[in-house]
Amino acid sequence: EKEMQLARTKRSFQLADFKNESQYVEPTIRKEFKDTAFWQSDLVTGSDGKATLRFNLPDNLTTWRATARAVSADLSVGSKIDRVLSRKDLILRLETPRFMTEGDVVTVSGIVHNYLDDDKGAQIELKVSGASLLDQAQQTVTVLKRGEQRIDWRIFASQVGRVTLLATAKTNTESDGIELGLPIVPVGLKQTIGDSETLSGDSEEKTFTLNLPPAANLQARSLRIEAAPSVAASLFGALDYLTGYPYGCTEQTMSSFIPNVVVAQALKDVKSTTIRQTNDLPKKVQRGLDRLYEYQHSDGGWGWWKDDKTDPFMTAYVVDGMAMALRAGYGVENYRLTRGRDKLRQLIDTGKLEDGKPIDPESRAYLIYAYTVSGEADAKYLNDLFSKRNALQPYGRALLALGLKAKGDQDRARQVAVEIERSARTSEFDAHWESRLRAMLEYREDVSLEATALSIKALAQINPQSKLLPKAARWLVNNRHNGYFWATTKHTAFAIYGLTDYIKSSRELSADYTVEVWLNGEQVLTKRVTAAEAAGGQSFVIERKGTELAGSNQVRVVKRGSGVLYASAALEYFTRGDNIPAQSTQNLRMTRQYMRLRVTETNGKPKWAVEPLTGDLVSGDLIVVRLSLQGSKGRYLMIEDPIPAGCEQIERVSGINLNYTEGRWSDWYSNREFRDQRTVIFDNYFDGDATFQYALRVIVPGDFKVAPARAELMYEPTVQANTSNLKMSIIDRKR
């Protein structure tokens, strides 16, 4: 609440300074750094038009810009911008990378700026926690007036976690201190193994054995055990996975958006179901809508990305989701939905993609369903689909049944529901439906999980007494091979989409049993479950990390009493080792190569050339990362390539755009993202042979480890490949 006094420190008289220069002033440690110092949406003035507010500035040393806008009751408006400088006469800066990788030796530089009127003897010190400091922590230097002095320290990132750097520069007149934190990321490949089971007997137990390989990183491992007393409870962990997914194409946005909408609707329809307040569904739904608006194409449709071709499935997916949001009571911009529906109608009428290829029957069924449930629609589309239903797989037939039900055509909806039941693949314990989309590039996408989710949704709405429903729900929940979520974002979203309707019609909310969970012989949970817990929609979750886990982990779940329990266990870990081998599947292979980038000028025009990476790498150099992939044709390829901590990605150099628009630079890709720790490339249509390039600028000296690059088909994650890891040394450019 007091005026900021960064520039003022405990200070003696000048005479005392002259007599004893060894007395250093203790600094204020700066560690709160923000882009926005303060924000308030409304402030009411007095009758004189004035108001006063107080706040503390963050620790940034910079020029802050204050912007005020005002509006009066009679709609008079005004604005004013002013500036204030937050500064010190002695400043310490730290030059660090954005992150560190386990095993890195990084050179961190402290630069002291002296704006005082005299040369100053300064005591410079660095304290490190979470990593090892390899050099002397404290040095005494002389900083000339109006000058600066640089001090270097080497830091060894010995373990995964977070390193905290506390640096101070002390003089007898003024001092400064700064505290920064950096993540230390694992050097290996992230792996997930998991299993799930349904316990419905009055006395039943299941055991999961999750073994870690010898090379698993001891510090970068986590186990999540979930015991859910209802399907509803089992869904919320999957919601957390979707909302925390790091990438955001249209499908991934929708696969987070739709489940939030259907869960919000379920909260209205199933009064006994609740959800944690921290999920903040309205905020998540609005964030999803805003992104979908941004990605809408000029023709009214949607593709996987903002600037690619309009896709029938994605357009139907988004229009269906917006219509659901409206029905759940959320505000949707009407013209966005209208333009999307116009594109749906155009795709249905032409029956063709932009390149003239025919739309497959299942995608056509989704187009008609989305058009039907999102507003007024000509009955001819549903009638035509009904007359040709024998050509549909279970995926399309379920959408037909849902469309008929939505339009009140109960008789034909029941007729199709009977056909859905007949086409199920059943066993004594479960049931599911098989479907494969006939897509382009000779690639057929297995959508059996989506077909099963849609069939569950259709039967739950049309024939909620169907004996197949509990079996199908069990098959769907038990196919969470990653533990608490399904193999892909799309699978997870569709599973939630279908199971939410099953929750409304099922009787599984009646429960009366005890559940025990044992981990490696230790009891970690005992709980009495009644109908109230089952109806509450909350699961019981146990988490263990790092050294709390053994190499072989045995999870035993015991249930005694009547009711259903859905149990799952998921173990995430990173591989570890100096030589992580390259691996590939039969359908995908990958290599990574580092090269040197030379940029020259000929007749005033910049040119680039790629050369072998020979000689020393010096801060300021440019390098190229070349990623080559070969394999079978497929759709929706994703590449994640970790970068050396001492480098930064660059998009342009000397006016040259370093992307696929520059001839010979890179093959075409759908989207590219530069993150702090990695580069991510997406390719909608992988033709079996592609090479992608991007550029890095060498920034920070040190010895760096680089984790393997990996690639996978996003919706068939068993098709994957990775490169080996590598090491890189960067030396400092002589000054």
Side-chain angles (χ1 to χ4, degrees):
E1 297 177 352
K2 297 181 179 179
E3 180 183 354
M4 192 173 186
Q5 296 182 349
L6 282 176
R8 301 183 186 180
T9 55
K10 297 178 182 178
R11 184 170 179 177
S12 306
F13 293 106
Q14 289 184 354
L15 183 60
D17 290 344
F18 175 77
K19 290 181 177 179
N20 189 358
E21 291 190 359
S22 64
Q23 296 296 317
Y24 295 117
V25 174
E26 288 300 317
T28 299
I29 305 300
R30 297 183 291 116
K31 55 185 176 181
E32 184 185 16
F33 303 100
K34 295 181 178 180
D35 293 329
T36 301
F38 179 80
W39 160 254
Q40 185 165 324
S41 59
D42 60 343
L43 182 68
V44 180
T45 70
S47 58
D48 59 355
K50 297 180 180 179
T52 301
L53 58 88
R54 296 182 182 277
F55 59 92
N56 293 325
L57 282 174
D59 292 336
N60 314 54
L61 299 181
T62 185
T63 298
W64 293 102
R65 184 181 68 188
T67 303
R69 295 187 175 92
V71 57
S72 67
D74 61 357
L75 298 185
S76 297
V77 297
S79 66
K80 181 72 166 69
I81 294 177
D82 209 341
R83 291 172 174 81
V84 59
L85 176 64
S86 177
R87 66 179 300 276
K88 289 173 64 69
D89 289 328
L90 187 95
I91 297 174
L92 173 63
R93 293 191 297 111
L94 278 181
E95 290 188 351
T96 70
R98 296 177 187 268
F99 69 100
M100 299 173 71
T101 301
E102 182 188 17
D104 283 354
V105 176
V106 178
T107 299
V108 170
S109 299
I111 302 174
V112 185
H113 299 268
N114 179 12
Y115 299 110
L116 297 165
D117 294 331
D118 302 304
D119 299 348
K120 284 294 176 182
Q123 183 190 83
I124 316 299
E125 184 176 11
L126 178 67
K127 296 179 180 179
V128 178
S129 60
S132 301
L133 181 61
L134 301 182
D135 295 317
Q136 183 178 340
Q138 189 179 102
Q139 298 183 44
T140 301
V141 298
T142 299
V143 188
L144 301 179
K145 65 177 181 180
R146 310 299 177 187
E148 63 182 52
Q149 181 71 38
R150 170 178 158 178
I151 305 93
D152 292 336
W153 297 274
R154 290 175 303 140
I155 298 173
F156 173 52
S158 54
Q159 60 186 16
V160 175
R162 191 167 184 83
V163 57
T164 301
L165 309 177
L166 174 59
T168 55
K170 301 177 183 178
T171 74
N172 64 334
T173 304
E174 186 172 342
S175 300
D176 191 21
I178 186 170
E179 181 177 300
L180 296 176
L182 302 173
I184 301 178
V185 301
V187 72
L189 282 168
K190 184 179 180 180
Q191 304 286 343
T192 301
I193 54 176
D195 205 349
S196 59
E197 291 282 357
T198 302
L199 289 75
S200 55
D202 288 349
S203 180
E204 190 174 358
E205 68 175 67
K206 298 287 185 181
T207 299
F208 309 109
T209 300
L210 304 175
N211 293 327
L212 287 162
N217 193 315
L218 182 65
Q219 297 156 335
R221 56 175 71 170
S222 63
L223 174 66
R224 184 185 193 275
I225 307 168
E226 179 183 79
S230 66
V231 167
S234 71
L235 299 185
F236 294 125
L239 269 181
D240 293 338
Y241 155 71
L242 288 173
T243 54
Y245 193 76
Y247 307 119
C249 71
T250 308
E251 179 275 314
Q252 290 146 4
T253 302
M254 280 301 302
S255 293
S256 173
F257 170 74
I258 277 189
N260 282 315
V261 171
V262 298
V263 169
Q265 188 64 45
L267 296 180
K268 295 181 178 180
D269 297 341
V270 185
K271 301 301 182 184
S272 59
T273 306
T274 60
I275 187 171
R276 296 186 301 273
Q277 290 184 349
T278 52
N279 275 274
D280 197 359
L281 290 177
K283 184 177 181 180
K284 290 177 179 178
V285 170
Q286 187 58 53
R287 189 164 60 233
L289 282 170
D290 291 341
R291 190 170 182 87
L292 294 173
Y293 297 156
E294 182 184 352
Y295 272 38
Q296 189 168 23
H297 292 176
S298 59
D299 64 2
W302 282 266
W304 249 253
W305 300 98
K306 189 174 182 179
D307 300 315
D308 59 354
K309 293 180 180 179
T310 292
D311 180 85
F313 167 80
M314 277 314 319
T315 304
Y317 198 24
V318 176
V319 171
D320 184 21
M322 286 186 173
M324 278 192 284
L326 272 177
R327 293 194 295 271
Y330 294 100
V332 177
E333 293 181 5
N334 186 60
Y335 80 98
R336 302 279 189 181
L337 184 57
T338 299
R339 291 178 60 227
R341 296 188 76 243
D342 289 344
K343 184 60 181 178
L344 287 182
R345 188 176 65 250
Q346 185 260 324
L347 288 167
I348 296 168
D349 289 340
T350 62
K352 295 181 179 180
L353 302 170
E354 290 183 15
D355 58 7
K357 293 183 178 179
I359 297 173
D360 70 279
E362 267 56 51
S363 295
R364 178 176 174 81
Y366 199 6
L367 290 170
I368 293 172
Y369 168 76
Y371 188 64
T372 300
V373 299
S374 60
E376 292 297 323
D378 195 323
K380 69 179 182 181
Y381 297 126
L382 268 181
N383 293 338
D384 178 66
L385 191 62
F386 181 81
S387 66
K388 298 177 181 177
R389 67 188 184 281
N390 289 336
L392 294 175
Q393 299 177 67
Y395 183 101
R397 195 165 294 189
L399 288 165
L400 169 61
L402 287 166
L404 292 169
K405 176 68 169 59
K407 285 304 175 185
D409 193 340
Q410 302 293 348
D411 291 338
R412 289 199 296 179
R414 280 192 289 268
Q415 182 179 345
V416 178
V418 170
E419 295 170 356
I420 290 173
E421 289 184 298
R422 289 173 182 167
S423 64
R425 299 292 183 94
T426 62
S427 71
E428 181 183 354
F429 302 103
D430 58 32
H432 71 283
W433 287 263
E434 295 182 355
S435 293
R436 294 182 72 88
L437 293 185
R438 296 181 286 276
M440 59 191 67
L441 288 178
E442 305 168 6
Y443 176 71
R444 290 166 63 88
E445 181 184 357
D446 188 338
V447 291
S448 298
L449 191 140
E450 293 102 307
T452 300
L454 291 170
S455 297
I456 290 173
K457 188 177 186 71
L459 291 178
Q461 290 188 14
I462 301 165
N463 183 16
Q465 310 306 319
S466 173
K467 294 181 179 180
L468 284 180
L469 275 172
K471 288 187 172 185
R474 176 180 293 187
W475 183 91
L476 203 55
V477 174
N478 284 351
N479 267 273
R480 297 177 299 169
H481 299 305
N482 288 324
Y484 62 98
F485 59 93
W486 284 263
T488 70
T489 51
K490 187 151 68 79
H491 282 180
T492 303
F494 269 80
I496 295 174
Y497 186 45
L499 287 171
T500 305
D501 280 86
Y502 170 71
I503 292 167
K504 302 172 191 176
S505 64
S506 72
R507 298 177 181 176
E508 66 168 19
L509 297 183
S510 58
D512 185 14
Y513 58 82
T514 59
V515 57
E516 298 172 1
V517 178
W518 300 74
L519 174 60
N520 298 329
E522 175 192 356
Q523 187 172 358
V524 293
L525 174 72
T526 178
K527 189 74 178 178
R528 176 78 178 176
V529 177
T530 64
E533 280 77 23
Q538 296 298 315
S539 59
F540 312 118
V541 177
I542 302 100
E543 294 181 321
R544 296 289 185 269
K545 296 182 179 180
T547 55
E548 297 174 326
L549 296 174
S552 177
N553 297 279
Q554 189 176 77
V555 179
R556 185 165 66 97
V557 182
V558 182
K559 171 184 166 290
R560 298 184 181 93
S562 61
V564 181
L565 176 69
Y566 299 92
S568 67
L571 180 61
E572 292 185 350
Y573 66 92
F574 282 82
T575 59
R576 187 177 189 179
D578 290 333
N579 297 298
I580 299 172
Q583 301 176 81
S584 61
T585 57
Q586 183 178 1
N587 298 322
L588 190 62
R589 299 173 301 280
M590 182 183 189
T591 59
R592 174 175 62 184
Q593 185 179 10
Y594 279 27
M595 308 183 77
R596 190 179 294 276
L597 176 62
R598 300 284 190 191
V599 179
T600 58
E601 263 195 31
T602 303
N603 298 325
K605 293 184 178 181
K607 291 186 177 181
W608 61 268
V610 174
E611 304 172 354
L613 189 56
T614 57
D616 292 333
L617 265 180
V618 181
S619 52
D621 285 355
L622 299 176
I623 56 178
V624 171
V625 185
R626 178 175 292 173
L627 303 167
S628 300
L629 295 101
Q630 294 82 37
S632 301
K633 296 179 180 180
R635 298 195 70 183
Y636 312 119
L637 175 73
M638 179 178 71
I639 303 167
E640 293 179 299
D641 184 30
I643 65 172
C647 298
E648 297 263 349
Q649 303 103 323
I650 56 173
E651 296 186 7
R652 291 169 55 88
V653 60
S654 299
I656 304 172
N657 289 319
L658 301 178
N659 55 35
Y660 63 77
T661 63
E662 171 69 19
R664 299 181 298 109
W665 176 256
S666 175
D667 283 345
W668 181 89
Y669 48 80
S670 306
N671 194 58
R672 183 184 69 184
E673 297 182 8
F674 289 156
R675 302 291 183 100
D676 281 357
Q677 301 168 10
R678 62 193 180 276
T679 297
V680 191
I681 296 172
F682 300 90
D683 188 6
N684 285 10
Y685 307 108
F686 175 56
D687 64 4
D689 189 357
T691 299
F692 306 103
Q693 288 191 164
Y694 68 95
L696 297 170
R697 186 183 300 279
V698 177
I699 303 291
V700 179
D703 297 317
F704 300 95
K705 292 190 175 182
V706 189
R710 63 183 300 273
E712 69 174 30
L713 296 183
M714 291 167 59
Y715 306 119
E716 198 172 347
T718 56
V719 179
Q720 58 178 281
N722 67 266
T723 69
S724 60
N725 61 332
L726 56 85
K727 300 177 182 179
M728 175 182 292
S729 293
I730 300 171
I731 63 175
D732 190 21
R733 185 177 296 277
K734 295 181 179 179
R735 302 196 176 199

